[in-house]
Amino acid sequence: MTDQTDGQPRWRKLIQGSLLWVFAAAMTLGLTLIFSFNLVTASDVEVTVGQPAGEDIFSPRSITYESDVLLASERAKARAAVPEQYIGDGSDIGRSQLGLVTAVFSFIDAVRADTLATTETKLAYLQAIESLTIQQQTGLELLELSSADYDVAKREISRIVGDLMRQDIREDQVREYQFIARREASLELTQLQENVVTNIAPQFIVPTVFPDPDATAALREAAAEAVGPFVITIADNERIVRQGEPVTDLDIEKLTQVGLLQRQLDWRDLAAIFVASLLSVVLMTMYWHQFFWPHLRDNGRYLTVLTSLLLVFAAIAKLMLTGGSFFPYLFPMAALSMLLSVIYDVRLSLTVTIIMAALFGFLAPNSLELAAYTAVGGILAILTLQDAQRINAFFRAGLAAAIGYCAVILVFRLNQDIIDVLDMLELMGYAVVNGILSSALTLVGFFIMGSLFGITTTLQLQELARLDHPLLQELLRRAPGTYHHSIMVANLAEQAAEQIKANSALIRVGAFYHDIGKMNRPPFYSENQEGVNPHDALDPQTSARIILSHVSDGLDLAKRYRLPYRIQRFIAEHHGTRLVKGFYFKAQELVDEGEVIDPTKFRYAGPRPRSRETAVVMLADVIESTSRALQPNSEKAIEKLVNSLIDEDLTEGQLDESGLTLGDIRKIRESFIKTLKGRFHVRVKYPGNEALLPENEQAGVAETAVAPANPPANGTPTAVNNEEVS
């Protein structure tokens, strides 16, 4: 057991350490395969199946080979020559149908013999027979026939059905045999008898044999296997294709066999592509190791996303380059740039954009224009993409990319000796389409990334930020105080996020959901209490256990409602590993002298905030709850509250893994203080409104109007951090 426990971190470190190697190997191999696909050199012979040959083509050598084209053609003919096979025992089906005839006419006999029923009732009985469709006229004729004529008609129907149902009748032959059944009626019948027989007898004709696909397939395969092989001999200098005659598949096969259409891979180009791919991947890997590896906790997920994006767009680039002359100008580089900018950061996006643009220009081949075209469009999209929480921001960035594309086209076309204005305008039109297409692809990419990899996207955040989300509505109904607290935390944290350039949309949504676990036991949290504190009747350990459980309860709810992974991190990290000091101190007071209280039972499981966003929400959460409890009413009191709470978290190391700098923390302090000043601004109480106040406060209005109350001298806020406050 000890060895397994000790071994897990080693294996985990080994896997983590190998992720970059796996990324580098996969990317190098993937880019090389994609860019070298169909990288071939064709011969000078140009022919198209079905089109007339432009010249006579002669074999450069003699060859004998087995023709796959002739073999496939003849085998197809052999299969088609085998008829469909059928299976079935017609005699059994015939007996069954004769039995059905007997049963039907037994019922008709009973209807005819019913002396109490009216003609309309009898007719309804006849038309209710499930296996038979009797028209009104035929039913009336059945009832009008005399007993002797009726017996003759009945025997005639049985004879016809018995004779025909001995035959092998396929489903496609049923209508033919039903026609025969009408013609089989005896000429000795009266007109009424003939009408009854020709209307009823054909309805008992059904298929007696059915297709046997297994037997048919076996016979056809046996026939195909019996065909061939077909050996073709081509002599040296023999004419394979005659000028003006349509080229056939057999001609193509012959040309390929003699080497005139043999396509050979150029290994020098393959080596060049491999080196280019390797160099590009090395640059990206070194960048990742330098700026992301020490800080990003979920390297595996984000490396997988990066690999997927790069390989997909590499494949798109290859398809664009193998298309028409204008297709390269539709390559949506700006979409990749914007996706990387939002999912990762601007610096990585710029680096990858430049690298991919260089590869694109290299493959064009060696086109400086296309390299500059894709690079400028992508870079402009990145630098223009502001406020990525709004959808129209992506279309503005796409428009900026289109302008950059057009500018590059002008740079490379205006300095030519002969300027083709129409061609230049056409390319600029493609550039505009590219910008619009890139914006749309970016939004689609966000949707796909969120679905496949659990990446939190702008569209997801917009959906989760709606206050009519089912989980927020449930929180509002069950714990309205917590709901209001979450809204206030979101406002407080969002203002701070904008100051440090953090993801304010992510912070706002994370703040909305960080306390959803409280809805399981709302009365145990002060913001939901109405004069009664259930903790008064509980021991400190039980109270602490209830308070601590709101984190695990929140994570359970988040998984049930499928909240994104990054939103779940706010729930898990918004208290870090703080101590629930209120109940911990209370427990110490209640124990006997010398007895030690285990602090781990009063401490949150954590982890500590591992991103700037979760750290901001953690600070906003404790400051909002503490300020609501203490109600600071002066600038100094607000500053003291904010500074003491943040300093305490700094001292305890709660922010050590968050990535916040001292400069960020300074800006967060200033933002919190500014926001709280606006919230707790104290207005002077002027005389004349005393009737609106409680009786115990009316006497102090005059004094308050002259000098607002000062905060208590001992009003030093302490970050108790327990849910009696927050």
Side-chain angles (χ1 to χ4, degrees), residues 130-163:
E130 292 184 1
S131 57
L132 203 63
T133 300
I134 298 179
Q135 302 295 333
Q136 185 173 5
Q137 181 61 34
T138 304
L140 292 174
E141 291 171 348
L142 268 174
L143 297 175
E144 291 174 4
L145 287 173
S146 65
S147 297
D149 290 345
Y150 170 75
D151 291 338
V152 172
K154 182 168 62 173
R155 286 194 299 273
E156 185 68 6
I157 290 172
S158 297
R159 181 189 67 79
I160 293 173
V161 173
D163 290 344

PDB file of all heavy atoms in Angstrom, residues 130-163:
ATOM      1  N   GLU A 130     -61.395  -8.949 -41.850  1.00  0.00           N
ATOM      2  CA  GLU A 130     -60.061  -8.343 -41.892  1.00  0.00           C
ATOM      3  C   GLU A 130     -59.268  -8.755 -43.122  1.00  0.00           C
ATOM      4  O   GLU A 130     -58.561  -7.947 -43.721  1.00  0.00           O
ATOM      5  CB  GLU A 130     -59.272  -8.713 -40.633  1.00  0.00           C
ATOM      6  CG  GLU A 130     -59.819  -8.077 -39.361  1.00  0.00           C
ATOM      7  CD  GLU A 130     -58.961  -8.398 -38.160  1.00  0.00           C
ATOM      8  OE1 GLU A 130     -57.937  -9.097 -38.343  1.00  0.00           O
ATOM      9  OE2 GLU A 130     -59.302  -7.953 -37.053  1.00  0.00           O
ATOM     10  N   SER A 131     -59.339  -9.999 -43.516  1.00  0.00           N
ATOM     11  CA  SER A 131     -58.491 -10.506 -44.591  1.00  0.00           C
ATOM     12  C   SER A 131     -59.089 -10.297 -45.982  1.00  0.00           C
ATOM     13  O   SER A 131     -58.542 -10.780 -46.963  1.00  0.00           O
ATOM     14  CB  SER A 131     -58.228 -11.996 -44.373  1.00  0.00           C
ATOM     15  OG  SER A 131     -59.463 -12.697 -44.298  1.00  0.00           O
ATOM     16  N   LEU A 132     -60.183  -9.582 -46.052  1.00  0.00           N
ATOM     17  CA  LEU A 132     -60.888  -9.451 -47.318  1.00  0.00           C
ATOM     18  C   LEU A 132     -61.459  -8.048 -47.438  1.00  0.00           C
ATOM     19  O   LEU A 132     -61.913  -7.463 -46.443  1.00  0.00           O
ATOM     20  CB  LEU A 132     -62.025 -10.492 -47.380  1.00  0.00           C
ATOM     21  CG  LEU A 132     -62.529 -10.902 -48.766  1.00  0.00           C
ATOM     22  CD1 LEU A 132     -61.410 -11.571 -49.549  1.00  0.00           C
ATOM     23  CD2 LEU A 132     -63.699 -11.881 -48.618  1.00  0.00           C
ATOM     24  N   THR A 133     -61.404  -7.503 -48.636  1.00  0.00           N
ATOM     25  CA  THR A 133     -62.016  -6.201 -48.904  1.00  0.00           C
ATOM     26  C   THR A 133     -63.221  -6.422 -49.805  1.00  0.00           C
ATOM     27  O   THR A 133     -63.082  -6.784 -50.989  1.00  0.00           O
ATOM     28  CB  THR A 133     -61.016  -5.251 -49.583  1.00  0.00           C
ATOM     29  OG1 THR A 133     -59.890  -5.072 -48.736  1.00  0.00           O
ATOM     30  CG2 THR A 133     -61.659  -3.898 -49.845  1.00  0.00           C
ATOM     31  N   ILE A 134     -64.389  -6.253 -49.247  1.00  0.00           N
ATOM     32  CA  ILE A 134     -65.629  -6.492 -49.987  1.00  0.00           C
ATOM     33  C   ILE A 134     -66.297  -5.145 -50.250  1.00  0.00           C
ATOM     34  O   ILE A 134     -66.697  -4.444 -49.307  1.00  0.00           O
ATOM     35  CB  ILE A 134     -66.574  -7.421 -49.204  1.00  0.00           C
ATOM     36  CG1 ILE A 134     -65.901  -8.794 -49.016  1.00  0.00           C
ATOM     37  CG2 ILE A 134     -67.904  -7.567 -49.921  1.00  0.00           C
ATOM     38  CD1 ILE A 134     -66.741  -9.784 -48.236  1.00  0.00           C
ATOM     39  N   GLN A 135     -66.378  -4.779 -51.530  1.00  0.00           N
ATOM     40  CA  GLN A 135     -67.058  -3.540 -51.891  1.00  0.00           C
ATOM     41  C   GLN A 135     -68.557  -3.695 -51.656  1.00  0.00           C
ATOM     42  O   GLN A 135     -69.088  -4.811 -51.556  1.00  0.00           O
ATOM     43  CB  GLN A 135     -66.781  -3.195 -53.363  1.00  0.00           C
ATOM     44  CG  GLN A 135     -65.304  -3.055 -53.710  1.00  0.00           C
ATOM     45  CD  GLN A 135     -64.674  -1.883 -52.997  1.00  0.00           C
ATOM     46  OE1 GLN A 135     -65.361  -0.916 -52.663  1.00  0.00           O
ATOM     47  NE2 GLN A 135     -63.365  -1.984 -52.747  1.00  0.00           N
ATOM     48  N   GLN A 136     -69.230  -2.584 -51.579  1.00  0.00           N
ATOM     49  CA  GLN A 136     -70.670  -2.629 -51.270  1.00  0.00           C
ATOM     50  C   GLN A 136     -71.443  -3.422 -52.317  1.00  0.00           C
ATOM     51  O   GLN A 136     -72.301  -4.247 -51.976  1.00  0.00           O
ATOM     52  CB  GLN A 136     -71.212  -1.202 -51.163  1.00  0.00           C
ATOM     53  CG  GLN A 136     -72.675  -1.158 -50.731  1.00  0.00           C
ATOM     54  CD  GLN A 136     -73.137   0.265 -50.470  1.00  0.00           C
ATOM     55  OE1 GLN A 136     -72.407   1.196 -50.705  1.00  0.00           O
ATOM     56  NE2 GLN A 136     -74.344   0.412 -49.989  1.00  0.00           N
ATOM     57  N   GLN A 137     -71.116  -3.214 -53.610  1.00  0.00           N
ATOM     58  CA  GLN A 137     -71.842  -3.918 -54.664  1.00  0.00           C
ATOM     59  C   GLN A 137     -71.596  -5.413 -54.589  1.00  0.00           C
ATOM     60  O   GLN A 137     -72.519  -6.230 -54.724  1.00  0.00           O
ATOM     61  CB  GLN A 137     -71.401  -3.368 -56.035  1.00  0.00           C
ATOM     62  CG  GLN A 137     -72.110  -4.005 -57.215  1.00  0.00           C
ATOM     63  CD  GLN A 137     -73.631  -3.767 -57.170  1.00  0.00           C
ATOM     64  OE1 GLN A 137     -74.080  -2.710 -56.708  1.00  0.00           O
ATOM     65  NE2 GLN A 137     -74.421  -4.730 -57.610  1.00  0.00           N
ATOM     66  N   THR A 138     -70.297  -5.786 -54.338  1.00  0.00           N
ATOM     67  CA  THR A 138     -69.976  -7.219 -54.224  1.00  0.00           C
ATOM     68  C   THR A 138     -70.675  -7.825 -53.018  1.00  0.00           C
ATOM     69  O   THR A 138     -71.166  -8.968 -53.074  1.00  0.00           O
ATOM     70  CB  THR A 138     -68.453  -7.393 -54.089  1.00  0.00           C
ATOM     71  OG1 THR A 138     -67.807  -6.771 -55.203  1.00  0.00           O
ATOM     72  CG2 THR A 138     -68.070  -8.866 -54.034  1.00  0.00           C
ATOM     73  N   GLY A 139     -70.767  -7.097 -51.909  1.00  0.00           N
ATOM     74  CA  GLY A 139     -71.449  -7.605 -50.728  1.00  0.00           C
ATOM     75  C   GLY A 139     -72.923  -7.823 -50.982  1.00  0.00           C
ATOM     76  O   GLY A 139     -73.512  -8.844 -50.554  1.00  0.00           O
ATOM     77  N   LEU A 140     -73.546  -6.878 -51.680  1.00  0.00           N
ATOM     78  CA  LEU A 140     -74.973  -7.052 -51.989  1.00  0.00           C
ATOM     79  C   LEU A 140     -75.196  -8.253 -52.898  1.00  0.00           C
ATOM     80  O   LEU A 140     -76.173  -9.006 -52.736  1.00  0.00           O
ATOM     81  CB  LEU A 140     -75.503  -5.775 -52.651  1.00  0.00           C
ATOM     82  CG  LEU A 140     -75.567  -4.529 -51.747  1.00  0.00           C
ATOM     83  CD1 LEU A 140     -75.961  -3.300 -52.545  1.00  0.00           C
ATOM     84  CD2 LEU A 140     -76.560  -4.760 -50.601  1.00  0.00           C
ATOM     85  N   GLU A 141     -74.278  -8.448 -53.861  1.00  0.00           N
ATOM     86  CA  GLU A 141     -74.413  -9.606 -54.753  1.00  0.00           C
ATOM     87  C   GLU A 141     -74.240 -10.911 -53.989  1.00  0.00           C
ATOM     88  O   GLU A 141     -74.927 -11.905 -54.267  1.00  0.00           O
ATOM     89  CB  GLU A 141     -73.385  -9.495 -55.874  1.00  0.00           C
ATOM     90  CG  GLU A 141     -73.681  -8.354 -56.842  1.00  0.00           C
ATOM     91  CD  GLU A 141     -72.557  -8.112 -57.824  1.00  0.00           C
ATOM     92  OE1 GLU A 141     -71.463  -8.690 -57.588  1.00  0.00           O
ATOM     93  OE2 GLU A 141     -72.739  -7.370 -58.789  1.00  0.00           O
ATOM     94  N   LEU A 142     -73.305 -10.940 -53.001  1.00  0.00           N
ATOM     95  CA  LEU A 142     -73.148 -12.136 -52.173  1.00  0.00           C
ATOM     96  C   LEU A 142     -74.435 -12.462 -51.436  1.00  0.00           C
ATOM     97  O   LEU A 142     -74.807 -13.634 -51.276  1.00  0.00           O
ATOM     98  CB  LEU A 142     -72.009 -11.928 -51.177  1.00  0.00           C
ATOM     99  CG  LEU A 142     -70.612 -12.379 -51.588  1.00  0.00           C
ATOM    100  CD1 LEU A 142     -69.605 -11.948 -50.532  1.00  0.00           C
ATOM    101  CD2 LEU A 142     -70.568 -13.891 -51.774  1.00  0.00           C
ATOM    102  N   LEU A 143     -75.100 -11.441 -50.943  1.00  0.00           N
ATOM    103  CA  LEU A 143     -76.334 -11.659 -50.182  1.00  0.00           C
ATOM    104  C   LEU A 143     -77.508 -12.013 -51.085  1.00  0.00           C
ATOM    105  O   LEU A 143     -78.451 -12.702 -50.659  1.00  0.00           O
ATOM    106  CB  LEU A 143     -76.648 -10.408 -49.362  1.00  0.00           C
ATOM    107  CG  LEU A 143     -75.614 -10.025 -48.290  1.00  0.00           C
ATOM    108  CD1 LEU A 143     -75.990  -8.705 -47.642  1.00  0.00           C
ATOM    109  CD2 LEU A 143     -75.513 -11.129 -47.244  1.00  0.00           C
ATOM    110  N   GLU A 144     -77.462 -11.536 -52.356  1.00  0.00           N
ATOM    111  CA  GLU A 144     -78.586 -11.777 -53.265  1.00  0.00           C
ATOM    112  C   GLU A 144     -78.536 -13.164 -53.901  1.00  0.00           C
ATOM    113  O   GLU A 144     -79.559 -13.678 -54.370  1.00  0.00           O
ATOM    114  CB  GLU A 144     -78.568 -10.710 -54.364  1.00  0.00           C
ATOM    115  CG  GLU A 144     -78.907  -9.319 -53.861  1.00  0.00           C
ATOM    116  CD  GLU A 144     -78.747  -8.263 -54.953  1.00  0.00           C
ATOM    117  OE1 GLU A 144     -78.442  -8.665 -56.110  1.00  0.00           O
ATOM    118  OE2 GLU A 144     -78.902  -7.069 -54.656  1.00  0.00           O
ATOM    119  N   LEU A 145     -77.349 -13.772 -53.986  1.00  0.00           N
ATOM    120  CA  LEU A 145     -77.234 -15.073 -54.636  1.00  0.00           C
ATOM    121  C   LEU A 145     -78.102 -16.115 -53.931  1.00  0.00           C
ATOM    122  O   LEU A 145     -78.186 -16.142 -52.696  1.00  0.00           O
ATOM    123  CB  LEU A 145     -75.777 -15.537 -54.627  1.00  0.00           C
ATOM    124  CG  LEU A 145     -74.805 -14.837 -55.584  1.00  0.00           C
ATOM    125  CD1 LEU A 145     -73.370 -15.301 -55.309  1.00  0.00           C
ATOM    126  CD2 LEU A 145     -75.183 -15.150 -57.031  1.00  0.00           C
ATOM    127  N   SER A 146     -78.683 -16.956 -54.748  1.00  0.00           N
ATOM    128  CA  SER A 146     -79.428 -18.069 -54.163  1.00  0.00           C
ATOM    129  C   SER A 146     -78.446 -19.055 -53.558  1.00  0.00           C
ATOM    130  O   SER A 146     -77.237 -18.993 -53.821  1.00  0.00           O
ATOM    131  CB  SER A 146     -80.262 -18.764 -55.245  1.00  0.00           C
ATOM    132  OG  SER A 146     -79.396 -19.352 -56.209  1.00  0.00           O
ATOM    133  N   SER A 147     -78.955 -19.970 -52.774  1.00  0.00           N
ATOM    134  CA  SER A 147     -78.079 -20.919 -52.095  1.00  0.00           C
ATOM    135  C   SER A 147     -77.290 -21.743 -53.105  1.00  0.00           C
ATOM    136  O   SER A 147     -76.084 -21.988 -52.937  1.00  0.00           O
ATOM    137  CB  SER A 147     -78.889 -21.847 -51.184  1.00  0.00           C
ATOM    138  OG  SER A 147     -79.523 -21.089 -50.164  1.00  0.00           O
ATOM    139  N   ALA A 148     -77.943 -22.161 -54.170  1.00  0.00           N
ATOM    140  CA  ALA A 148     -77.251 -22.981 -55.162  1.00  0.00           C
ATOM    141  C   ALA A 148     -76.181 -22.172 -55.879  1.00  0.00           C
ATOM    142  O   ALA A 148     -75.045 -22.631 -56.056  1.00  0.00           O
ATOM    143  CB  ALA A 148     -78.275 -23.546 -56.165  1.00  0.00           C
ATOM    144  N   ASP A 149     -76.569 -20.942 -56.316  1.00  0.00           N
ATOM    145  CA  ASP A 149     -75.588 -20.104 -57.012  1.00  0.00           C
ATOM    146  C   ASP A 149     -74.437 -19.723 -56.080  1.00  0.00           C
ATOM    147  O   ASP A 149     -73.272 -19.631 -56.513  1.00  0.00           O
ATOM    148  CB  ASP A 149     -76.258 -18.838 -57.549  1.00  0.00           C
ATOM    149  CG  ASP A 149     -77.206 -19.145 -58.706  1.00  0.00           C
ATOM    150  OD1 ASP A 149     -77.123 -20.256 -59.261  1.00  0.00           O
ATOM    151  OD2 ASP A 149     -78.028 -18.249 -59.043  1.00  0.00           O
ATOM    152  N   TYR A 150     -74.748 -19.473 -54.827  1.00  0.00           N
ATOM    153  CA  TYR A 150     -73.717 -19.122 -53.847  1.00  0.00           C
ATOM    154  C   TYR A 150     -72.722 -20.268 -53.673  1.00  0.00           C
ATOM    155  O   TYR A 150     -71.501 -20.058 -53.639  1.00  0.00           O
ATOM    156  CB  TYR A 150     -74.377 -18.773 -52.521  1.00  0.00           C
ATOM    157  CG  TYR A 150     -73.406 -18.618 -51.367  1.00  0.00           C
ATOM    158  CD1 TYR A 150     -72.601 -17.489 -51.253  1.00  0.00           C
ATOM    159  CD2 TYR A 150     -73.292 -19.629 -50.399  1.00  0.00           C
ATOM    160  CE1 TYR A 150     -71.711 -17.355 -50.205  1.00  0.00           C
ATOM    161  CE2 TYR A 150     -72.402 -19.504 -49.350  1.00  0.00           C
ATOM    162  CZ  TYR A 150     -71.616 -18.360 -49.247  1.00  0.00           C
ATOM    163  OH  TYR A 150     -70.724 -18.230 -48.208  1.00  0.00           O
ATOM    164  N   ASP A 151     -73.244 -21.524 -53.591  1.00  0.00           N
ATOM    165  CA  ASP A 151     -72.355 -22.675 -53.421  1.00  0.00           C
ATOM    166  C   ASP A 151     -71.450 -22.838 -54.627  1.00  0.00           C
ATOM    167  O   ASP A 151     -70.261 -23.174 -54.503  1.00  0.00           O
ATOM    168  CB  ASP A 151     -73.177 -23.946 -53.202  1.00  0.00           C
ATOM    169  CG  ASP A 151     -73.880 -23.945 -51.848  1.00  0.00           C
ATOM    170  OD1 ASP A 151     -73.401 -23.207 -50.961  1.00  0.00           O
ATOM    171  OD2 ASP A 151     -74.870 -24.673 -51.688  1.00  0.00           O
ATOM    172  N   VAL A 152     -71.986 -22.599 -55.821  1.00  0.00           N
ATOM    173  CA  VAL A 152     -71.169 -22.705 -57.035  1.00  0.00           C
ATOM    174  C   VAL A 152     -70.049 -21.674 -57.017  1.00  0.00           C
ATOM    175  O   VAL A 152     -68.889 -21.966 -57.329  1.00  0.00           O
ATOM    176  CB  VAL A 152     -72.055 -22.536 -58.291  1.00  0.00           C
ATOM    177  CG1 VAL A 152     -71.180 -22.436 -59.548  1.00  0.00           C
ATOM    178  CG2 VAL A 152     -73.026 -23.702 -58.427  1.00  0.00           C
ATOM    179  N   ALA A 153     -70.398 -20.425 -56.657  1.00  0.00           N
ATOM    180  CA  ALA A 153     -69.385 -19.362 -56.616  1.00  0.00           C
ATOM    181  C   ALA A 153     -68.306 -19.677 -55.581  1.00  0.00           C
ATOM    182  O   ALA A 153     -67.108 -19.457 -55.821  1.00  0.00           O
ATOM    183  CB  ALA A 153     -70.052 -18.021 -56.300  1.00  0.00           C
ATOM    184  N   LYS A 154     -68.728 -20.206 -54.443  1.00  0.00           N
ATOM    185  CA  LYS A 154     -67.775 -20.541 -53.401  1.00  0.00           C
ATOM    186  C   LYS A 154     -66.815 -21.635 -53.870  1.00  0.00           C
ATOM    187  O   LYS A 154     -65.596 -21.542 -53.655  1.00  0.00           O
ATOM    188  CB  LYS A 154     -68.536 -20.969 -52.145  1.00  0.00           C
ATOM    189  CG  LYS A 154     -67.615 -21.292 -50.972  1.00  0.00           C
ATOM    190  CD  LYS A 154     -68.408 -21.414 -49.671  1.00  0.00           C
ATOM    191  CE  LYS A 154     -69.435 -22.544 -49.725  1.00  0.00           C
ATOM    192  NZ  LYS A 154     -70.085 -22.777 -48.423  1.00  0.00           N
ATOM    193  N   ARG A 155     -67.357 -22.689 -54.557  1.00  0.00           N
ATOM    194  CA  ARG A 155     -66.503 -23.758 -55.038  1.00  0.00           C
ATOM    195  C   ARG A 155     -65.545 -23.248 -56.115  1.00  0.00           C
ATOM    196  O   ARG A 155     -64.381 -23.647 -56.186  1.00  0.00           O
ATOM    197  CB  ARG A 155     -67.364 -24.903 -55.591  1.00  0.00           C
ATOM    198  CG  ARG A 155     -68.044 -25.736 -54.514  1.00  0.00           C
ATOM    199  CD  ARG A 155     -68.585 -27.036 -55.101  1.00  0.00           C
ATOM    200  NE  ARG A 155     -69.581 -26.805 -56.149  1.00  0.00           N
ATOM    201  CZ  ARG A 155     -70.883 -26.645 -55.932  1.00  0.00           C
ATOM    202  NH1 ARG A 155     -71.360 -26.710 -54.703  1.00  0.00           N
ATOM    203  NH2 ARG A 155     -71.703 -26.447 -56.950  1.00  0.00           N
ATOM    204  N   GLU A 156     -66.038 -22.312 -56.944  1.00  0.00           N
ATOM    205  CA  GLU A 156     -65.205 -21.776 -58.011  1.00  0.00           C
ATOM    206  C   GLU A 156     -64.025 -20.981 -57.438  1.00  0.00           C
ATOM    207  O   GLU A 156     -62.893 -21.080 -57.921  1.00  0.00           O
ATOM    208  CB  GLU A 156     -66.048 -20.883 -58.928  1.00  0.00           C
ATOM    209  CG  GLU A 156     -65.295 -20.372 -60.147  1.00  0.00           C
ATOM    210  CD  GLU A 156     -64.946 -21.475 -61.137  1.00  0.00           C
ATOM    211  OE1 GLU A 156     -65.382 -22.640 -60.949  1.00  0.00           O
ATOM    212  OE2 GLU A 156     -64.197 -21.182 -62.089  1.00  0.00           O
ATOM    213  N   ILE A 157     -64.294 -20.209 -56.370  1.00  0.00           N
ATOM    214  CA  ILE A 157     -63.214 -19.439 -55.727  1.00  0.00           C
ATOM    215  C   ILE A 157     -62.188 -20.385 -55.116  1.00  0.00           C
ATOM    216  O   ILE A 157     -60.967 -20.190 -55.261  1.00  0.00           O
ATOM    217  CB  ILE A 157     -63.796 -18.496 -54.661  1.00  0.00           C
ATOM    218  CG1 ILE A 157     -64.589 -17.376 -55.339  1.00  0.00           C
ATOM    219  CG2 ILE A 157     -62.689 -17.906 -53.780  1.00  0.00           C
ATOM    220  CD1 ILE A 157     -65.355 -16.502 -54.364  1.00  0.00           C
ATOM    221  N   SER A 158     -62.665 -21.454 -54.457  1.00  0.00           N
ATOM    222  CA  SER A 158     -61.738 -22.423 -53.867  1.00  0.00           C
ATOM    223  C   SER A 158     -60.900 -23.105 -54.941  1.00  0.00           C
ATOM    224  O   SER A 158     -59.690 -23.341 -54.763  1.00  0.00           O
ATOM    225  CB  SER A 158     -62.514 -23.474 -53.061  1.00  0.00           C
ATOM    226  OG  SER A 158     -63.193 -22.868 -51.980  1.00  0.00           O
ATOM    227  N   ARG A 159     -61.521 -23.414 -56.102  1.00  0.00           N
ATOM    228  CA  ARG A 159     -60.776 -24.061 -57.190  1.00  0.00           C
ATOM    229  C   ARG A 159     -59.683 -23.146 -57.734  1.00  0.00           C
ATOM    230  O   ARG A 159     -58.536 -23.564 -57.921  1.00  0.00           O
ATOM    231  CB  ARG A 159     -61.743 -24.447 -58.314  1.00  0.00           C
ATOM    232  CG  ARG A 159     -61.039 -25.149 -59.479  1.00  0.00           C
ATOM    233  CD  ARG A 159     -61.992 -25.297 -60.655  1.00  0.00           C
ATOM    234  NE  ARG A 159     -62.341 -24.000 -61.222  1.00  0.00           N
ATOM    235  CZ  ARG A 159     -61.552 -23.293 -62.054  1.00  0.00           C
ATOM    236  NH1 ARG A 159     -60.356 -23.763 -62.396  1.00  0.00           N
ATOM    237  NH2 ARG A 159     -61.958 -22.141 -62.542  1.00  0.00           N
ATOM    238  N   ILE A 160     -60.045 -21.896 -57.962  1.00  0.00           N
ATOM    239  CA  ILE A 160     -59.073 -20.955 -58.550  1.00  0.00           C
ATOM    240  C   ILE A 160     -57.898 -20.743 -57.588  1.00  0.00           C
ATOM    241  O   ILE A 160     -56.728 -20.792 -57.990  1.00  0.00           O
ATOM    242  CB  ILE A 160     -59.765 -19.614 -58.873  1.00  0.00           C
ATOM    243  CG1 ILE A 160     -60.772 -19.819 -60.003  1.00  0.00           C
ATOM    244  CG2 ILE A 160     -58.728 -18.556 -59.243  1.00  0.00           C
ATOM    245  CD1 ILE A 160     -61.634 -18.591 -60.270  1.00  0.00           C
ATOM    246  N   VAL A 161     -58.208 -20.517 -56.315  1.00  0.00           N
ATOM    247  CA  VAL A 161     -57.145 -20.300 -55.335  1.00  0.00           C
ATOM    248  C   VAL A 161     -56.275 -21.544 -55.211  1.00  0.00           C
ATOM    249  O   VAL A 161     -55.034 -21.466 -55.158  1.00  0.00           O
ATOM    250  CB  VAL A 161     -57.739 -19.904 -53.966  1.00  0.00           C
ATOM    251  CG1 VAL A 161     -56.650 -19.851 -52.900  1.00  0.00           C
ATOM    252  CG2 VAL A 161     -58.454 -18.565 -54.064  1.00  0.00           C
ATOM    253  N   GLY A 162     -56.880 -22.721 -55.194  1.00  0.00           N
ATOM    254  CA  GLY A 162     -56.109 -23.949 -55.077  1.00  0.00           C
ATOM    255  C   GLY A 162     -55.195 -24.168 -56.260  1.00  0.00           C
ATOM    256  O   GLY A 162     -54.049 -24.613 -56.106  1.00  0.00           O
ATOM    257  N   ASP A 163     -55.688 -23.871 -57.493  1.00  0.00           N
ATOM    258  CA  ASP A 163     -54.865 -24.076 -58.682  1.00  0.00           C
ATOM    259  C   ASP A 163     -53.679 -23.113 -58.720  1.00  0.00           C
ATOM    260  O   ASP A 163     -52.541 -23.513 -58.992  1.00  0.00           O
ATOM    261  CB  ASP A 163     -55.725 -23.901 -59.940  1.00  0.00           C
ATOM    262  CG  ASP A 163     -56.727 -25.041 -60.112  1.00  0.00           C
ATOM    263  OD1 ASP A 163     -56.543 -26.086 -59.448  1.00  0.00           O
ATOM    264  OD2 ASP A 163     -57.683 -24.875 -60.890  1.00  0.00           O
TER     265      ASP A 163
END
